[in-house]
Amino acid sequence: MMMPPNKGVRAASKYKSLIKARVPPKKNSERKSNSNSHFYSARVRYCMEMAAKLGDRAVVISADNKNKVRVCDNTPAVDRRLAIRRFYPADDSPIYLDHDFPTPGYAITPAGYLELRPLSTPQLTIDHLGRQQYVVPEKKASTIVLRSPHSPSNIASHLNDLAAHVHIPELVAGGTTVLVLLVDGGPDFNCNHGINAFHYARFFKQMNLDALLVTSYCPGDSAMNPIEHLWAPCTRALTSVYLPSTLPDEDTPPCQQKISAEERKTKEHVVFNNAMEAIKDVHWKNLKYAKRKVTVEIEQSGADPHPYGQDFDIVKEAIGGSARRLRQSAFNEEFLFSAKHMDKRIGTLIMTKCDEATCLHCTAHPPLVASSDMDLLRAFPSPQPSSRHPDHFLTFIEAAQEQSCPPCEHLPQFREKALGRCPSPECRYVFTSKKDIDDHRRKVHGR
């Protein structure tokens, strides 16, 4: 009497479909509505089209962390409720333990980076309203970096990955001097956090980028970030896998042994390194995404972060402390450099080389990007409503030609908070909290 679960099978003919009901497929795509989503998505599109306009001069990196992978003899590496989709001999199929008892704190953090490359020659397309848009960058290589609980996962570690594993220095040396980071809004990447903004600025300067654009989708819309689609095949490849939390000749995890803290940590380094090597060399060895082999890298457990992150705690204390402490610290000059070259908005950070003769860095390393494109980057458009198409924002091409509106002017979140922008004419800074207003005025403008 009801509808067939699947119309494509022969048994569907036996269903009369008189009652419009059936067992539905599971969907995980429902999201809470957010009035800011449209604006955030339009801004991401602007950043993608800016990269497309620059062609070989730009690259987009979509970045985020995967859910942690558990290391435990008694608990599967990923959720036991996932369906097994691989073939096994009939007498050797996986049998899970009847209870999960995870080893506390034993988990691997995979950080993912997906490269999206613009076409060498920018090309235009037409949207559903007949408006011209640039063809956005295409998915290319993807890299996953594995870290143990004894290795920090923060903005500095992600910048290390970009430098060492995604090879941003080599790209810059080859003429790709504009980097767009499409990131998650969590604490590791969020550009509204002062410590993150400082490290982004440090990376921008030391990599000698002409521009660095860091943006994200609206909170709750992280599934729209392209890197998120890499995690499904990663999880499937770890279904029914157990990663041992013990050494080969032992039957108890180091954290449960009566040994010194130093000896325990030494053993744990071996446990986590073994688990990461198994993931890389066995379970994700043939992993592919976007028709390309996924590169899997390992950061040895407990290894010192390099080149970023060695002073992370000291920087965090200086940036998060008082204005006086910051001025007396070794980081004040870097902080003022970042403030001078920063266009900070809610959920987006834009670093660009300036055209002031007094700036030693920018005069010594003039931009390779065309002057007209640098002008556009320095005055990057903010989405504003289209007068011809209600409920739509201007396209990137239209916004670049229109008189630019103030940053975040049409973001509901900006209007609701009513915190405003820095009144200094030479400063491009949108406030995100009352504390942010006070910190900015004291630390940047000395008042």
Side-chain angles (χ1 to χ4, degrees):
M1 299 297 288
M2 297 188 184
M3 299 172 66
N6 186 347
K7 294 182 179 180
V9 298
R10 184 177 299 176
S13 61
K14 299 183 181 299
Y15 289 79
K16 303 300 182 182
S17 298
L18 299 177
I19 301 175
K20 300 299 181 182
R22 63 180 177 182
V23 177
K26 188 180 72 170
K27 296 181 180 180
N28 299 321
S29 57
E30 181 69 16
R31 302 189 191 96
K32 292 182 179 179
S33 61
N34 190 317
S35 60
N36 301 294
S37 292
H38 190 190
F39 183 95
Y40 272 78
S41 297
R43 190 167 55 188
V44 169
R45 177 79 193 196
Y46 282 17
C47 292
M48 298 282 272
E49 289 197 56
M50 182 75 236
K53 184 178 188 298
L54 294 170
D56 289 336
R57 289 290 186 202
V59 65
V60 179
I61 303 294
S62 170
D64 193 13
N65 289 340
K66 183 191 183 303
N67 289 342
K68 294 182 184 297
V69 176
R70 289 172 291 197
V71 179
C72 183
D73 297 79
N74 306 316
T75 305
V78 296
D79 198 322
R80 63 166 58 241
R81 292 169 292 184
L82 293 169
I84 298 174
R85 300 184 182 278
R86 289 182 293 171
F87 291 99
Y88 289 88
D91 57 352
D92 192 28
S93 59
I95 301 176
Y96 295 156
L97 295 171
D98 61 352
H99 284 81
D100 280 349
F101 296 103
T103 306
Y106 277 32
I108 304 299
T109 301
Y113 308 90
L114 172 63
E115 181 181 331
L116 295 97
R117 274 285 188 176
L119 300 174
S120 298
T121 303
Q123 295 184 14
L124 296 174
T125 185
I126 303 296
D127 70 2
H128 68 288
L129 297 174
R131 303 177 299 177
Q132 284 191 327
Q133 294 181 322
Y134 285 103
V135 175
V136 297
E138 300 176 339
K139 297 176 183 176
K140 297 293 182 182
S142 52
T143 302
I144 299 174
V145 182
L146 302 174
R147 280 189 173 80
S148 86
H150 292 312
S151 299
S153 179
N154 52 39
I155 181 59
S157 65
H158 294 303
L159 296 179
N160 285 333
D161 293 344
L162 292 177
H165 302 302
V166 187
H167 309 296
I168 295 301
E170 289 84 346
L171 291 176
V172 174
T176 300
T177 56
V178 174
L179 172 62
V180 177
L181 292 179
L182 180 50
V183 299
D184 180 68
D188 277 11
F189 293 101
N190 196 322
C191 58
N192 291 336
H193 298 177
I195 183 67
N196 290 355
F198 177 89
H199 278 85
Y200 283 130
R202 176 181 278 185
F203 187 78
F204 159 77
K205 183 179 181 181
Q206 293 183 2
M207 290 295 108
N208 192 25
L209 294 168
D210 288 342
L212 169 64
L213 293 81
V214 186
T215 192
S216 63
Y217 283 100
C218 184
D221 289 346
S222 60
M224 298 172 69
N225 194 347
I227 188 66
E228 292 286 346
H229 302 283
L230 169 60
W231 301 136
C234 290
T235 299
R236 283 197 297 268
L238 286 174
T239 302
S240 75
V241 170
Y242 285 81
L243 297 172
S245 59
T246 57
L247 295 177
D249 56 345
E250 298 179 349
D251 57 7
T252 305
C255 65
Q256 298 175 8
Q257 299 177 15
K258 294 182 179 180
I259 54 179
S260 66
E262 183 178 352
E263 186 179 359
R264 185 191 74 184
K265 185 171 285 189
T266 299
K267 287 188 174 184
E268 287 179 342
H269 288 328
V270 178
V271 167
F272 296 136
N273 287 336
N274 289 344
M276 291 189 289
E277 287 169 6
I279 295 172
K280 175 184 176 181
D281 298 333
V282 180
H283 307 295
W284 289 354
K285 181 179 180 180
N286 300 312
L287 191 67
K288 287 188 175 182
Y289 181 68
K291 300 181 180 179
R292 293 171 179 264
K293 189 176 186 302
V294 177
T295 301
V296 182
E297 303 286 358
I298 293 174
E299 284 293 312
Q300 293 297 309
S301 180
D304 289 336
H306 181 80
Y308 303 99
Q310 294 180 334
D311 57 359
F312 185 83
D313 291 333
I314 304 174
V315 170
K316 185 176 182 179
E317 184 178 354
I319 299 297
S322 65
R324 177 181 295 179
R325 179 182 295 178
L326 177 58
R327 284 194 291 270
Q328 293 173 347
S329 74
F331 309 108
N332 191 51
E333 186 177 341
E334 277 188 278
F335 180 81
L336 293 178
F337 174 89
S338 69
K340 179 180 178 180
H341 295 80
M342 179 190 301
D343 179 351
K344 182 185 165 299
R345 310 176 184 186
I346 299 175
T348 291
L349 175 70
I350 304 170
M351 302 290 305
T352 53
K353 285 182 177 176
C354 67
D355 54 1
E356 294 184 14
T358 56
C359 181
L360 298 178
H361 173 74
C362 297
T363 52
H365 307 90
L368 299 181
V369 171
S371 59
S372 59
D373 289 326
M374 279 305 303
D375 290 341
L376 182 57
L377 286 163
R378 290 170 184 147
F380 197 75
S382 183
Q384 53 184 311
S386 170
S387 58
R388 292 188 299 167
H389 302 285
D391 300 325
H392 290 274
F393 288 109
L394 295 177
T395 66
F396 172 71
I397 293 176
E398 291 172 338
Q401 296 170 347
E402 292 268 340
Q403 184 176 359
S404 182
C405 68
C408 299
E409 179 69 19
H410 299 284
L411 174 63
Q413 183 180 358
F414 172 79
R415 295 181 173 182
E416 291 164 8
K417 289 189 173 184
L419 296 168
R421 312 174 188 88
C422 179
S424 273
E426 73 279 2
C427 191
R428 300 167 294 170
Y429 196 97
V430 179
F431 298 126
T432 55
S433 68
K434 292 183 178 179
K435 184 179 184 302
D436 191 29
I437 296 175
D438 186 59
D439 283 349
H440 179 78
R441 288 174 177 171
R442 289 177 182 273
K443 295 175 181 179
V444 176
H445 302 293
R447 54 185 173 85

